[in-house]
Amino acid sequence: MAQSWAFFLLVVLCFCCVSDLICGSNGERVFLYPQSQKVSSIVSQRYRTAYHFQPPKNWINDPNGPMYYNGIYHEFYQYNPNGSVWGNIVWGHSVSTDLINWIPLETAIARDTPSDINGCWTGSATILPGNRLVIIYTGADPEKRQVQNIVVPKNMSDPYLREWTKAGNNPVIQPVGPGLNSGQFRDPTTGWVGPDGLWRIAVGAELNGDSAALLYKSKDFLNWTRVDHPLYSSNSSSMWECPDFFAVLPGNSGGLDLSAAIPNGAKHVLKMSLDSCDKYMIGVYDLKSDTFIPDTVLDDRRLWLRIDYGNFYASKSFFDSKKSRRIIWGWTNETDSSSDDVAKGWAGIHAIPRTIWLDSHGKQLLQWPVEEVESLRGNEINHQGLELKKGGLFEIKGTDSFQADVEIDFELTSIDKADPFDPSWLLDVEKHCREAGASVNGGIGPFGLVVLASDNMEEHTAVHFRVYKSEQKYMILMCSDLRSSSLRPGLYTPAYGGFFEYDLEKEKKISLRTLIDRSAVESFGGSGRVCIMARVYPVAVVDGVAHMYAFNNGSATVRVPQLRAWSMRRAQVNVKGME
């Protein structure tokens, strides 16, 4: 039965009255929890994800050199073998045949030569003609300069490629040249071939105080020459980490291999990591000038497009020749304290691998979880023809609320009640999500999904939409609000958010898919137009009781023509003894 969302808010407010609810200086509700209140320890295996990628223990950050090679998927990653805080970084290595179940292997690249003695940092894999494989990565030398190094497989008959040999001429690229900051020169991309037959890579750098993707050429992938101009540069920031460069075809969900001929009509994407998120530009790769030319240049980088609007960084993509698609991975850190991570013994996960492609208008990237994750689905529940009036709340029962995959279509009964759109919201979408929370009534919305909710709703995470009318189009706001996600003090609990354009007169349904995995809530709105990855630590997860709801708090009634949800089985992710 549909129940009143307002009723649950009243319960929360009543609870707060006796639990020292106060108002902050900005008018937001702030909870103060008495010292006598018992909150279970965050040091619990229940917060370890069941099907997201993470090693058995210790610190993990950037995905490195992902690839599909001779029937095996490889996932390398920045890893601290000695603890659950950043430091002592080497390349961890796991393999899979389905991108979901992973076998842990030995360290692939260790800090054991002068060119990487102070760290084996991010890099990429390239498959050369003749099915030859090479990885180029950043090392920190004894002077802590950042240099680029090469490794190749030691034993090509080993399907798992457990051992790697470093090139004798490492470092193959050094931070030399006017204006180049030797401490801001890292994260080489996958290679591609230009019309002159030479290989190219881009390296993130700070050049004369500006951000740049520096361009290098090579005939043999071992000896490199810097091109006299960057692939692209910008004075909007000082350093781009983890650049990625790849080709896409508008409206075609298939991927393109940069090592092959790029078809006419293709666009190129330059992705960079900065401002604690991953941003990108769409444009063309001009073969004559050997430069990337964006379709649109925005001076204010707050307006740049983002891969993900939540906790997602240092992503790396690759062409999957098995299914002719481009797949992207990203790193998601913990949002508790470092001391919590030390106590838990682990920190960091990777988002679910996503297929990524360009929309039919050529204006933005779309993303969707790889289809292989659906192999974990079980115990499906299906509801059709639901109607959520103002204050409507429908509980989704029959699935594992801690490990679930939920797909909902929301159909608008009227688009006339949409509130006006203010373009200034684009400059700080998180601020707008805080002000326009799930309990704040609007014309159309908020409506969406509440997950990991405690019995009395004092803990919950709300993923929701609002519809706004601009001059000639509709703008959809998607928020993932973590502010009430946990009773624990000291956590980072923002209200993430992003906008996307939508043709509501043509498509009156807005889709939402959310993957719930204990401490991970990964959502895809508008068929992958906005993606938001979040980390949460509800006490309810440890206590073993949580609820899910579809809700509507807007003035206009919202229909749900279809709601499907599945319990998700545990994947075999880096479990010891799997081999």
Side-chain angles (χ1 to χ4, degrees), residues 42-65:
I42 199 170
V43 185
S44 171
Q45 285 294 107
R46 289 182 176 270
Y47 288 122
R48 280 189 63 88
T49 57
Y51 56 93
H52 282 73
F53 183 94
Q54 61 183 132
K57 62 179 181 178
N58 298 338
W59 170 276
I60 180 178
N61 57 291
D62 307 8
N64 294 159

Side-chain angles (χ1 to χ4, degrees), residues 2-10 12-13 29 387-394 410-412 417 419 435-450 457 460 462-468 481 483 549-560:
Q3 302 181 55
S4 172
W5 170 267
F7 168 77
F8 283 92
L9 288 179
L10 179 62
V12 174
L13 289 174
R29 291 193 297 271
E387 190 171 87
L388 296 172
K389 297 181 179 180
K390 180 179 179 180
L393 193 71
F394 178 84
F410 295 98
E411 185 176 69
L412 307 182
K417 293 185 178 181
D419 296 320
E435 296 172 347
S439 61
V440 179
N441 175 253
I444 305 178
F447 57 86
L449 180 68
V450 171
M457 290 285 283
H460 66 273
V463 185
H464 57 89
F465 299 110
R466 286 177 181 266
V467 178
Y468 295 98
D481 193 340
R483 289 175 297 166
Y549 305 91
F551 79 92
N552 174 31
N553 244 352
S555 298
T557 296
V558 175
R559 295 193 184 101
V560 179

